[in-house]
Amino acid sequence: SEPYAEEALNFTRDMCLQHNIEILVETQDRGGTFIGSAWVSQTNMAVSLLSNGYAWLSPSFYPDRTADAGQMEQAEQQAKQSRLRVFEHYQEEAVVQQPQESKGPLPAFTAALASVSPDGTLFVQKSEEEQRVMQLTESIERLCVGKPAPMSFKPRNGDLVVAMFSAVGLRHTSADSGCNCLWQ
């Protein structure tokens, strides 16, 4: 049993039982698990659990997947500083600054903006990779012979799936192991 598990359960029960709960699904991971937040009376449950020291953020937590990531990270930090419950023995890690050699500015390169995450991280595609991306796109085009899959087609775990997003005219591929089942 996790430390403070019973207290965390009671805290959650007290907040949630006999109250309206709003579940906000923001995205879904590769395994199909919904990622989002639970709200009780305008209060984010994850932030409440974190700020009261009943929970901690998983090392695999991806802040760009939820709009409330900043609040959650701040709540956890406050609980750590106050040494609440699960953080009662928390020791701040000493950060040792290594002297860095001055290498000058990074070399410039030409790129296209691919995506911007909610936390402001920019993802780019280098222009030199454009030819490789075009070759990959052409390979996918050849796989998609223009025939839609039958309505009875139900992809299974491990199927390779190519889907056309008609609103933006882009294709997306997904594969877990390697069966070549395609749709467009």
Side-chain angles (χ1 to χ4, degrees):
S1 169
E2 294 289 329
Y4 298 99
E6 195 67 33
E7 283 183 47
L9 179 61
N10 291 333
F11 175 82
T12 304
R13 282 182 179 149
D14 289 345
M15 276 192 82
C16 295
L17 290 179
Q18 302 298 316
H19 290 87
N20 290 329
I21 300 171
E22 182 180 337
I23 305 293
L24 175 63
V25 176
E26 296 180 41
T27 188
Q28 193 174 9
D29 69 9
R30 290 180 64 201
T33 303
F34 292 118
I35 298 172
S37 52
W39 294 80
V40 179
S41 304
Q42 306 296 315
T43 302
N44 183 315
M45 282 299 304
V47 172
S48 292
L49 288 165
L50 288 163
S51 65
N52 285 285
Y54 289 118
W56 64 89
L57 292 175
S58 167
S60 63
F61 174 68
Y62 295 104
D64 63 330
R65 290 193 168 182
T66 178
D68 300 316
Q71 288 178 331
M72 289 191 283
E73 290 169 332
Q74 184 179 16
E76 181 187 55
Q77 203 56 33
Q78 289 172 348
K80 284 179 179 178
Q81 290 171 352
S82 301
R83 297 201 178 0
L84 293 175
R85 295 173 183 86
V86 296
F87 300 110
E88 65 187 346
H89 302 295
Y90 172 73
Q91 295 291 323
E92 227 173 293
E93 295 176 19
V95 178
V96 178
Q97 290 284 350
Q98 296 291 332
Q100 295 182 357
E101 295 179 24
S102 176
K103 298 178 184 176
L106 295 174
F109 61 90
T110 304
L113 182 62
S115 177
V116 180
S117 70
D119 70 348
T121 304
L122 300 177
F123 296 91
V124 298
Q125 175 185 327
K126 289 184 176 181
S127 294
E128 341 30 289
E129 297 173 352
E130 188 172 343
Q131 183 64 31
R132 201 172 79 197
V133 171
M134 291 304 292
Q135 290 170 345
L136 179 61
T137 302
E138 289 169 6
S139 296
I140 292 171
E141 292 284 339
R142 284 192 295 278
L143 289 173
C144 302
V145 293
K147 298 179 202 167
M151 293 303 289
S152 61
F153 177 69
K154 294 193 181 356
R156 295 180 316 272
N157 188 17
D159 291 350
L160 172 63
V161 179
V162 179
M164 173 65 95
F165 292 92
S166 59
V168 291
L170 298 175
R171 284 193 169 77
H172 174 74
T173 42
S174 175
D176 287 322
S177 62
C179 177
N180 292 326
C181 302
L182 307 173
W183 90 65
Q184 182 175 6

mmCIF file of all heavy atoms in Angstrom, residues 132-182:
data_model
loop_
_atom_site.group_PDB
_atom_site.id
_atom_site.type_symbol
_atom_site.label_atom_id
_atom_site.label_comp_id
_atom_site.label_asym_id
_atom_site.label_seq_id
_atom_site.Cartn_x
_atom_site.Cartn_y
_atom_site.Cartn_z
ATOM 1 N N ARG A 132 13.462 13.569 -47.691
ATOM 2 C CA ARG A 132 13.196 12.279 -47.062
ATOM 3 C C ARG A 132 11.719 12.151 -46.700
ATOM 4 O O ARG A 132 11.099 11.103 -46.875
ATOM 5 C CB ARG A 132 14.078 12.130 -45.821
ATOM 6 C CG ARG A 132 14.246 10.692 -45.408
ATOM 7 C CD ARG A 132 15.262 10.548 -44.320
ATOM 8 N NE ARG A 132 14.581 10.920 -43.076
ATOM 9 C CZ ARG A 132 15.187 11.221 -41.964
ATOM 10 N NH1 ARG A 132 16.479 11.235 -41.915
ATOM 11 N NH2 ARG A 132 14.509 11.522 -40.873
ATOM 12 N N VAL A 133 11.130 13.231 -46.198
ATOM 13 C CA VAL A 133 9.708 13.227 -45.850
ATOM 14 C C VAL A 133 8.865 13.044 -47.116
ATOM 15 O O VAL A 133 7.879 12.300 -47.116
ATOM 16 C CB VAL A 133 9.320 14.518 -45.092
ATOM 17 C CG1 VAL A 133 7.818 14.616 -44.917
ATOM 18 C CG2 VAL A 133 10.020 14.562 -43.751
ATOM 19 N N MET A 134 9.241 13.701 -48.196
ATOM 20 C CA MET A 134 8.500 13.563 -49.455
ATOM 21 C C MET A 134 8.570 12.122 -49.953
ATOM 22 O O MET A 134 7.576 11.584 -50.444
ATOM 23 C CB MET A 134 9.045 14.528 -50.510
ATOM 24 C CG MET A 134 8.757 15.999 -50.200
ATOM 25 S SD MET A 134 6.996 16.354 -49.964
ATOM 26 C CE MET A 134 6.400 16.102 -51.609
ATOM 27 N N GLN A 135 9.744 11.474 -49.834
ATOM 28 C CA GLN A 135 9.870 10.087 -50.259
ATOM 29 C C GLN A 135 8.977 9.181 -49.412
ATOM 30 O O GLN A 135 8.323 8.281 -49.946
ATOM 31 C CB GLN A 135 11.329 9.632 -50.165
ATOM 32 C CG GLN A 135 12.226 10.262 -51.194
ATOM 33 C CD GLN A 135 13.706 9.986 -50.937
ATOM 34 O OE1 GLN A 135 14.086 9.553 -49.853
ATOM 35 N NE2 GLN A 135 14.523 10.244 -51.941
ATOM 36 N N LEU A 136 8.938 9.433 -48.118
ATOM 37 C CA LEU A 136 8.081 8.660 -47.230
ATOM 38 C C LEU A 136 6.610 8.871 -47.594
ATOM 39 O O LEU A 136 5.831 7.925 -47.675
ATOM 40 C CB LEU A 136 8.334 9.045 -45.769
ATOM 41 C CG LEU A 136 7.490 8.329 -44.725
ATOM 42 C CD1 LEU A 136 7.721 6.833 -44.768
ATOM 43 C CD2 LEU A 136 7.799 8.870 -43.340
ATOM 44 N N THR A 137 6.232 10.113 -47.862
ATOM 45 C CA THR A 137 4.859 10.427 -48.249
ATOM 46 C C THR A 137 4.486 9.698 -49.539
ATOM 47 O O THR A 137 3.401 9.133 -49.656
ATOM 48 C CB THR A 137 4.687 11.945 -48.421
ATOM 49 O OG1 THR A 137 5.028 12.583 -47.188
ATOM 50 C CG2 THR A 137 3.261 12.303 -48.806
ATOM 51 N N GLU A 138 5.397 9.695 -50.511
ATOM 52 C CA GLU A 138 5.135 8.994 -51.776
ATOM 53 C C GLU A 138 4.982 7.493 -51.550
ATOM 54 O O GLU A 138 4.137 6.847 -52.168
ATOM 55 C CB GLU A 138 6.246 9.297 -52.774
ATOM 56 C CG GLU A 138 6.212 10.728 -53.293
ATOM 57 C CD GLU A 138 7.456 11.118 -54.079
ATOM 58 O OE1 GLU A 138 8.322 10.249 -54.331
ATOM 59 O OE2 GLU A 138 7.558 12.305 -54.436
ATOM 60 N N SER A 139 5.789 6.933 -50.639
ATOM 61 C CA SER A 139 5.673 5.502 -50.325
ATOM 62 C C SER A 139 4.306 5.197 -49.730
ATOM 63 O O SER A 139 3.672 4.197 -50.077
ATOM 64 C CB SER A 139 6.762 5.076 -49.340
ATOM 65 O OG SER A 139 8.022 5.225 -49.906
ATOM 66 N N ILE A 140 3.846 6.061 -48.847
ATOM 67 C CA ILE A 140 2.528 5.879 -48.245
ATOM 68 C C ILE A 140 1.447 6.011 -49.312
ATOM 69 O O ILE A 140 0.483 5.251 -49.334
ATOM 70 C CB ILE A 140 2.319 6.877 -47.082
ATOM 71 C CG1 ILE A 140 3.253 6.527 -45.930
ATOM 72 C CG2 ILE A 140 0.865 6.873 -46.613
ATOM 73 C CD1 ILE A 140 3.282 7.566 -44.824
ATOM 74 N N GLU A 141 1.614 6.980 -50.229
ATOM 75 C CA GLU A 141 0.648 7.159 -51.320
ATOM 76 C C GLU A 141 0.524 5.884 -52.142
ATOM 77 O O GLU A 141 -0.565 5.500 -52.543
ATOM 78 C CB GLU A 141 1.086 8.319 -52.232
ATOM 79 C CG GLU A 141 1.019 9.685 -51.604
ATOM 80 C CD GLU A 141 -0.404 10.211 -51.515
ATOM 81 O OE1 GLU A 141 -1.280 9.741 -52.256
ATOM 82 O OE2 GLU A 141 -0.619 11.099 -50.689
ATOM 83 N N ARG A 142 1.668 5.216 -52.406
ATOM 84 C CA ARG A 142 1.629 3.982 -53.190
ATOM 85 C C ARG A 142 0.886 2.872 -52.437
ATOM 86 O O ARG A 142 0.243 2.032 -53.051
ATOM 87 C CB ARG A 142 3.047 3.538 -53.560
ATOM 88 C CG ARG A 142 3.658 4.367 -54.685
ATOM 89 C CD ARG A 142 4.936 3.741 -55.226
ATOM 90 N NE ARG A 142 6.030 3.686 -54.270
ATOM 91 C CZ ARG A 142 6.852 4.703 -53.993
ATOM 92 N NH1 ARG A 142 6.712 5.848 -54.608
ATOM 93 N NH2 ARG A 142 7.812 4.546 -53.120
ATOM 94 N N LEU A 143 1.006 2.871 -51.110
ATOM 95 C CA LEU A 143 0.296 1.869 -50.310
ATOM 96 C C LEU A 143 -1.211 2.091 -50.353
ATOM 97 O O LEU A 143 -1.989 1.155 -50.259
ATOM 98 C CB LEU A 143 0.772 1.908 -48.857
ATOM 99 C CG LEU A 143 2.167 1.388 -48.575
ATOM 100 C CD1 LEU A 143 2.538 1.671 -47.121
ATOM 101 C CD2 LEU A 143 2.259 -0.101 -48.862
ATOM 102 N N CYS A 144 -1.603 3.343 -50.458
ATOM 103 C CA CYS A 144 -3.020 3.702 -50.475
ATOM 104 C C CYS A 144 -3.492 3.690 -51.924
ATOM 105 O O CYS A 144 -3.328 4.647 -52.639
ATOM 106 C CB CYS A 144 -3.233 5.087 -49.853
ATOM 107 S SG CYS A 144 -2.645 5.188 -48.177
ATOM 108 N N VAL A 145 -4.088 2.616 -52.311
ATOM 109 C CA VAL A 145 -4.463 2.446 -53.709
ATOM 110 C C VAL A 145 -5.747 3.182 -54.067
ATOM 111 O O VAL A 145 -6.242 3.046 -55.167
ATOM 112 C CB VAL A 145 -4.585 0.946 -54.067
ATOM 113 C CG1 VAL A 145 -3.239 0.274 -54.010
ATOM 114 C CG2 VAL A 145 -5.587 0.266 -53.152
ATOM 115 N N GLY A 146 -6.288 3.969 -53.145
ATOM 116 C CA GLY A 146 -7.476 4.756 -53.443
ATOM 117 C C GLY A 146 -8.780 4.053 -53.146
ATOM 118 O O GLY A 146 -9.845 4.612 -53.343
ATOM 119 N N LYS A 147 -8.717 2.819 -52.705
ATOM 120 C CA LYS A 147 -9.943 2.090 -52.384
ATOM 121 C C LYS A 147 -10.200 2.198 -50.891
ATOM 122 O O LYS A 147 -9.349 1.825 -50.088
ATOM 123 C CB LYS A 147 -9.793 0.611 -52.744
ATOM 124 C CG LYS A 147 -9.550 0.362 -54.200
ATOM 125 C CD LYS A 147 -9.387 -1.124 -54.427
ATOM 126 C CE LYS A 147 -8.626 -1.369 -55.705
ATOM 127 N NZ LYS A 147 -8.187 -2.740 -55.822
ATOM 128 N N PRO A 148 -11.351 2.698 -50.511
ATOM 129 C CA PRO A 148 -11.652 2.744 -49.076
ATOM 130 C C PRO A 148 -11.818 1.339 -48.520
ATOM 131 O O PRO A 148 -12.203 0.423 -49.232
ATOM 132 C CB PRO A 148 -12.955 3.539 -48.994
ATOM 133 C CG PRO A 148 -13.554 3.457 -50.349
ATOM 134 C CD PRO A 148 -12.419 3.234 -51.326
ATOM 135 N N ALA A 149 -11.500 1.171 -47.277
ATOM 136 C CA ALA A 149 -11.661 -0.123 -46.616
ATOM 137 C C ALA A 149 -13.147 -0.424 -46.471
ATOM 138 O O ALA A 149 -13.964 0.485 -46.388
ATOM 139 C CB ALA A 149 -11.004 -0.091 -45.247
ATOM 140 N N PRO A 150 -13.501 -1.701 -46.448
ATOM 141 C CA PRO A 150 -14.909 -2.043 -46.244
ATOM 142 C C PRO A 150 -15.380 -1.539 -44.884
ATOM 143 O O PRO A 150 -14.603 -1.409 -43.953
ATOM 144 C CB PRO A 150 -14.917 -3.568 -46.307
ATOM 145 C CG PRO A 150 -13.506 -4.009 -46.204
ATOM 146 C CD PRO A 150 -12.635 -2.863 -46.575
ATOM 147 N N MET A 151 -16.664 -1.259 -44.792
ATOM 148 C CA MET A 151 -17.228 -0.733 -43.545
ATOM 149 C C MET A 151 -17.033 -1.713 -42.390
ATOM 150 O O MET A 151 -17.023 -1.329 -41.247
ATOM 151 C CB MET A 151 -18.722 -0.425 -43.714
ATOM 152 C CG MET A 151 -18.994 0.717 -44.683
ATOM 153 S SD MET A 151 -18.153 2.250 -44.226
ATOM 154 C CE MET A 151 -19.093 2.711 -42.801
ATOM 155 N N SER A 152 -16.870 -2.996 -42.709
ATOM 156 C CA SER A 152 -16.699 -3.999 -41.666
ATOM 157 C C SER A 152 -15.263 -4.030 -41.136
ATOM 158 O O SER A 152 -14.967 -4.759 -40.197
ATOM 159 C CB SER A 152 -17.078 -5.379 -42.199
ATOM 160 O OG SER A 152 -16.225 -5.716 -43.285
ATOM 161 N N PHE A 153 -14.359 -3.235 -41.724
ATOM 162 C CA PHE A 153 -12.955 -3.228 -41.307
ATOM 163 C C PHE A 153 -12.824 -2.703 -39.883
ATOM 164 O O PHE A 153 -13.270 -1.612 -39.566
ATOM 165 C CB PHE A 153 -12.122 -2.374 -42.260
ATOM 166 C CG PHE A 153 -10.678 -2.254 -41.856
ATOM 167 C CD1 PHE A 153 -9.840 -3.351 -41.928
ATOM 168 C CD2 PHE A 153 -10.171 -1.054 -41.396
ATOM 169 C CE1 PHE A 153 -8.515 -3.256 -41.559
ATOM 170 C CE2 PHE A 153 -8.845 -0.940 -41.024
ATOM 171 C CZ PHE A 153 -8.017 -2.044 -41.099
ATOM 172 N N LYS A 154 -12.250 -3.506 -39.011
ATOM 173 C CA LYS A 154 -12.015 -3.113 -37.621
ATOM 174 C C LYS A 154 -10.542 -3.352 -37.328
ATOM 175 O O LYS A 154 -10.123 -4.493 -37.168
ATOM 176 C CB LYS A 154 -12.894 -3.913 -36.686
ATOM 177 C CG LYS A 154 -14.376 -3.614 -36.847
ATOM 178 C CD LYS A 154 -15.154 -4.200 -35.695
ATOM 179 C CE LYS A 154 -16.634 -4.007 -35.738
ATOM 180 N NZ LYS A 154 -17.289 -3.281 -36.705
ATOM 181 N N PRO A 155 -9.738 -2.278 -37.261
ATOM 182 C CA PRO A 155 -8.308 -2.471 -36.997
ATOM 183 C C PRO A 155 -8.084 -3.153 -35.651
ATOM 184 O O PRO A 155 -8.811 -2.914 -34.696
ATOM 185 C CB PRO A 155 -7.741 -1.054 -36.970
ATOM 186 C CG PRO A 155 -8.833 -0.144 -37.359
ATOM 187 C CD PRO A 155 -10.100 -0.883 -37.374
ATOM 188 N N ARG A 156 -7.082 -4.017 -35.631
ATOM 189 C CA ARG A 156 -6.708 -4.710 -34.408
ATOM 190 C C ARG A 156 -5.361 -4.195 -33.937
ATOM 191 O O ARG A 156 -4.624 -3.573 -34.703
ATOM 192 C CB ARG A 156 -6.622 -6.215 -34.668
ATOM 193 C CG ARG A 156 -7.946 -6.842 -35.039
ATOM 194 C CD ARG A 156 -7.792 -8.348 -35.294
ATOM 195 N NE ARG A 156 -6.636 -8.722 -36.093
ATOM 196 C CZ ARG A 156 -6.627 -8.786 -37.428
ATOM 197 N NH1 ARG A 156 -7.706 -8.493 -38.111
ATOM 198 N NH2 ARG A 156 -5.538 -9.137 -38.063
ATOM 199 N N ASN A 157 -5.038 -4.468 -32.695
ATOM 200 C CA ASN A 157 -3.746 -4.083 -32.149
ATOM 201 C C ASN A 157 -2.644 -4.677 -33.027
ATOM 202 O O ASN A 157 -2.666 -5.854 -33.339
ATOM 203 C CB ASN A 157 -3.614 -4.595 -30.709
ATOM 204 C CG ASN A 157 -2.386 -4.053 -30.028
ATOM 205 O OD1 ASN A 157 -1.793 -3.077 -30.475
ATOM 206 N ND2 ASN A 157 -2.007 -4.685 -28.938
ATOM 207 N N GLY A 158 -1.729 -3.837 -33.466
ATOM 208 C CA GLY A 158 -0.638 -4.286 -34.316
ATOM 209 C C GLY A 158 -0.863 -4.012 -35.787
ATOM 210 O O GLY A 158 0.049 -4.165 -36.590
ATOM 211 N N ASP A 159 -2.085 -3.634 -36.183
ATOM 212 C CA ASP A 159 -2.357 -3.321 -37.578
ATOM 213 C C ASP A 159 -1.685 -2.004 -37.954
ATOM 214 O O ASP A 159 -1.606 -1.088 -37.146
ATOM 215 C CB ASP A 159 -3.863 -3.171 -37.832
ATOM 216 C CG ASP A 159 -4.615 -4.483 -37.711
ATOM 217 O OD1 ASP A 159 -3.947 -5.526 -37.612
ATOM 218 O OD2 ASP A 159 -5.853 -4.449 -37.708
ATOM 219 N N LEU A 160 -1.188 -1.924 -39.204
ATOM 220 C CA LEU A 160 -0.687 -0.665 -39.739
ATOM 221 C C LEU A 160 -1.871 0.015 -40.404
ATOM 222 O O LEU A 160 -2.535 -0.570 -41.250
ATOM 223 C CB LEU A 160 0.429 -0.890 -40.766
ATOM 224 C CG LEU A 160 0.897 0.338 -41.541
ATOM 225 C CD1 LEU A 160 1.507 1.358 -40.589
ATOM 226 C CD2 LEU A 160 1.896 -0.053 -42.604
ATOM 227 N N VAL A 161 -2.154 1.229 -39.985
ATOM 228 C CA VAL A 161 -3.322 1.936 -40.476
ATOM 229 C C VAL A 161 -2.886 3.270 -41.051
ATOM 230 O O VAL A 161 -2.115 3.991 -40.441
ATOM 231 C CB VAL A 161 -4.336 2.169 -39.321
ATOM 232 C CG1 VAL A 161 -5.544 2.937 -39.812
ATOM 233 C CG2 VAL A 161 -4.756 0.849 -38.712
ATOM 234 N N VAL A 162 -3.357 3.570 -42.265
ATOM 235 C CA VAL A 162 -3.115 4.866 -42.884
ATOM 236 C C VAL A 162 -4.475 5.518 -43.042
ATOM 237 O O VAL A 162 -5.374 4.959 -43.657
ATOM 238 C CB VAL A 162 -2.437 4.733 -44.263
ATOM 239 C CG1 VAL A 162 -2.217 6.097 -44.881
ATOM 240 C CG2 VAL A 162 -1.120 3.983 -44.137
ATOM 241 N N ALA A 163 -4.650 6.702 -42.469
ATOM 242 C CA ALA A 163 -5.933 7.384 -42.511
ATOM 243 C C ALA A 163 -5.768 8.760 -43.125
ATOM 244 O O ALA A 163 -4.793 9.448 -42.851
ATOM 245 C CB ALA A 163 -6.507 7.502 -41.107
ATOM 246 N N MET A 164 -6.722 9.162 -43.960
ATOM 247 C CA MET A 164 -6.704 10.486 -44.571
ATOM 248 C C MET A 164 -7.569 11.415 -43.730
ATOM 249 O O MET A 164 -8.708 11.110 -43.427
ATOM 250 C CB MET A 164 -7.258 10.432 -45.992
ATOM 251 C CG MET A 164 -7.438 11.796 -46.632
ATOM 252 S SD MET A 164 -5.900 12.655 -46.880
ATOM 253 C CE MET A 164 -5.570 12.200 -48.549
ATOM 254 N N PHE A 165 -6.992 12.520 -43.296
ATOM 255 C CA PHE A 165 -7.739 13.550 -42.602
ATOM 256 C C PHE A 165 -8.162 14.554 -43.665
ATOM 257 O O PHE A 165 -7.397 15.435 -44.045
ATOM 258 C CB PHE A 165 -6.883 14.213 -41.511
ATOM 259 C CG PHE A 165 -6.574 13.280 -40.382
ATOM 260 C CD1 PHE A 165 -5.425 12.515 -40.370
ATOM 261 C CD2 PHE A 165 -7.469 13.141 -39.333
ATOM 262 C CE1 PHE A 165 -5.157 11.653 -39.329
ATOM 263 C CE2 PHE A 165 -7.209 12.278 -38.287
ATOM 264 C CZ PHE A 165 -6.054 11.530 -38.290
ATOM 265 N N SER A 166 -9.386 14.423 -44.158
ATOM 266 C CA SER A 166 -9.837 15.215 -45.300
ATOM 267 C C SER A 166 -9.895 16.708 -44.999
ATOM 268 O O SER A 166 -9.729 17.519 -45.898
ATOM 269 C CB SER A 166 -11.198 14.715 -45.781
ATOM 270 O OG SER A 166 -12.135 14.805 -44.729
ATOM 271 N N ALA A 167 -10.094 17.083 -43.748
ATOM 272 C CA ALA A 167 -10.202 18.506 -43.414
ATOM 273 C C ALA A 167 -8.899 19.243 -43.689
ATOM 274 O O ALA A 167 -8.900 20.404 -44.055
ATOM 275 C CB ALA A 167 -10.598 18.680 -41.955
ATOM 276 N N VAL A 168 -7.777 18.546 -43.512
ATOM 277 C CA VAL A 168 -6.488 19.202 -43.723
ATOM 278 C C VAL A 168 -5.687 18.563 -44.845
ATOM 279 O O VAL A 168 -4.607 19.026 -45.180
ATOM 280 C CB VAL A 168 -5.643 19.221 -42.417
ATOM 281 C CG1 VAL A 168 -6.258 20.148 -41.401
ATOM 282 C CG2 VAL A 168 -5.460 17.829 -41.866
ATOM 283 N N GLY A 169 -6.193 17.465 -45.406
ATOM 284 C CA GLY A 169 -5.521 16.819 -46.529
ATOM 285 C C GLY A 169 -4.240 16.115 -46.146
ATOM 286 O O GLY A 169 -3.345 15.967 -46.961
ATOM 287 N N LEU A 170 -4.121 15.642 -44.917
ATOM 288 C CA LEU A 170 -2.915 14.968 -44.465
ATOM 289 C C LEU A 170 -3.216 13.520 -44.130
ATOM 290 O O LEU A 170 -4.333 13.167 -43.789
ATOM 291 C CB LEU A 170 -2.341 15.665 -43.221
ATOM 292 C CG LEU A 170 -1.907 17.109 -43.397
ATOM 293 C CD1 LEU A 170 -1.485 17.679 -42.048
ATOM 294 C CD2 LEU A 170 -0.767 17.206 -44.381
ATOM 295 N N ARG A 171 -2.183 12.695 -44.198
ATOM 296 C CA ARG A 171 -2.321 11.292 -43.803
ATOM 297 C C ARG A 171 -1.622 11.088 -42.484
ATOM 298 O O ARG A 171 -0.655 11.753 -42.156
ATOM 299 C CB ARG A 171 -1.708 10.383 -44.859
ATOM 300 C CG ARG A 171 -2.573 10.240 -46.066
ATOM 301 C CD ARG A 171 -2.087 9.088 -46.924
ATOM 302 N NE ARG A 171 -3.060 8.793 -47.938
ATOM 303 C CZ ARG A 171 -3.245 9.503 -49.036
ATOM 304 N NH1 ARG A 171 -2.505 10.570 -49.238
ATOM 305 N NH2 ARG A 171 -4.148 9.175 -49.909
ATOM 306 N N HIS A 172 -2.116 10.112 -41.738
ATOM 307 C CA HIS A 172 -1.503 9.754 -40.461
ATOM 308 C C HIS A 172 -1.336 8.252 -40.457
ATOM 309 O O HIS A 172 -2.238 7.532 -40.844
ATOM 310 C CB HIS A 172 -2.401 10.185 -39.298
ATOM 311 C CG HIS A 172 -1.900 9.734 -37.968
ATOM 312 N ND1 HIS A 172 -0.818 10.318 -37.360
ATOM 313 C CD2 HIS A 172 -2.315 8.747 -37.158
ATOM 314 C CE1 HIS A 172 -0.600 9.711 -36.212
ATOM 315 N NE2 HIS A 172 -1.501 8.765 -36.064
ATOM 316 N N THR A 173 -0.166 7.770 -40.037
ATOM 317 C CA THR A 173 0.048 6.331 -39.935
ATOM 318 C C THR A 173 0.175 5.942 -38.483
ATOM 319 O O THR A 173 0.661 6.700 -37.666
ATOM 320 C CB THR A 173 1.338 5.896 -40.671
ATOM 321 O OG1 THR A 173 2.352 6.845 -40.396
ATOM 322 C CG2 THR A 173 1.119 5.752 -42.131
ATOM 323 N N SER A 174 -0.246 4.725 -38.203
ATOM 324 C CA SER A 174 -0.153 4.211 -36.849
ATOM 325 C C SER A 174 0.121 2.727 -36.938
ATOM 326 O O SER A 174 -0.492 2.027 -37.738
ATOM 327 C CB SER A 174 -1.464 4.462 -36.107
ATOM 328 O OG SER A 174 -1.413 3.870 -34.848
ATOM 329 N N ALA A 175 1.072 2.255 -36.149
ATOM 330 C CA ALA A 175 1.378 0.827 -36.149
ATOM 331 C C ALA A 175 1.908 0.438 -34.785
ATOM 332 O O ALA A 175 2.642 1.185 -34.170
ATOM 333 C CB ALA A 175 2.402 0.490 -37.211
ATOM 334 N N ASP A 176 1.538 -0.757 -34.330
ATOM 335 C CA ASP A 176 2.086 -1.248 -33.078
ATOM 336 C C ASP A 176 3.038 -2.410 -33.321
ATOM 337 O O ASP A 176 4.028 -2.534 -32.659
ATOM 338 C CB ASP A 176 0.979 -1.676 -32.116
ATOM 339 C CG ASP A 176 0.250 -0.475 -31.540
ATOM 340 O OD1 ASP A 176 0.929 0.518 -31.263
ATOM 341 O OD2 ASP A 176 -0.960 -0.554 -31.378
ATOM 342 N N SER A 177 2.728 -3.288 -34.277
ATOM 343 C CA SER A 177 3.673 -4.369 -34.511
ATOM 344 C C SER A 177 3.944 -4.651 -35.972
ATOM 345 O O SER A 177 5.065 -4.876 -36.341
ATOM 346 C CB SER A 177 3.228 -5.631 -33.798
ATOM 347 O OG SER A 177 1.989 -6.062 -34.303
ATOM 348 N N GLY A 178 2.967 -4.638 -36.875
ATOM 349 C CA GLY A 178 3.373 -4.809 -38.247
ATOM 350 C C GLY A 178 2.433 -5.424 -39.240
ATOM 351 O O GLY A 178 2.820 -5.623 -40.367
ATOM 352 N N CYS A 179 1.219 -5.784 -38.935
ATOM 353 C CA CYS A 179 0.289 -6.295 -39.941
ATOM 354 C C CYS A 179 -0.093 -5.140 -40.857
ATOM 355 O O CYS A 179 -0.429 -4.065 -40.403
ATOM 356 C CB CYS A 179 -0.956 -6.852 -39.255
ATOM 357 S SG CYS A 179 -2.209 -7.418 -40.417
ATOM 358 N N ASN A 180 -0.010 -5.341 -42.166
ATOM 359 C CA ASN A 180 -0.251 -4.260 -43.116
ATOM 360 C C ASN A 180 -1.715 -4.179 -43.528
ATOM 361 O O ASN A 180 -2.095 -4.615 -44.605
ATOM 362 C CB ASN A 180 0.627 -4.411 -44.348
ATOM 363 C CG ASN A 180 2.061 -4.193 -44.029
ATOM 364 O OD1 ASN A 180 2.389 -3.375 -43.175
ATOM 365 N ND2 ASN A 180 2.936 -4.935 -44.677
ATOM 366 N N CYS A 181 -2.557 -3.680 -42.667
ATOM 367 C CA CYS A 181 -3.960 -3.439 -42.970
ATOM 368 C C CYS A 181 -4.101 -1.939 -43.167
ATOM 369 O O CYS A 181 -3.754 -1.172 -42.282
ATOM 370 C CB CYS A 181 -4.853 -3.920 -41.833
ATOM 371 S SG CYS A 181 -4.641 -5.679 -41.475
ATOM 372 N N LEU A 182 -4.595 -1.501 -44.327
ATOM 373 C CA LEU A 182 -4.610 -0.090 -44.657
ATOM 374 C C LEU A 182 -6.006 0.414 -44.928
ATOM 375 O O LEU A 182 -6.850 -0.311 -45.417
ATOM 376 C CB LEU A 182 -3.747 0.155 -45.906
ATOM 377 C CG LEU A 182 -2.331 -0.378 -45.859
ATOM 378 C CD1 LEU A 182 -1.674 -0.215 -47.218
ATOM 379 C CD2 LEU A 182 -1.544 0.351 -44.816
#
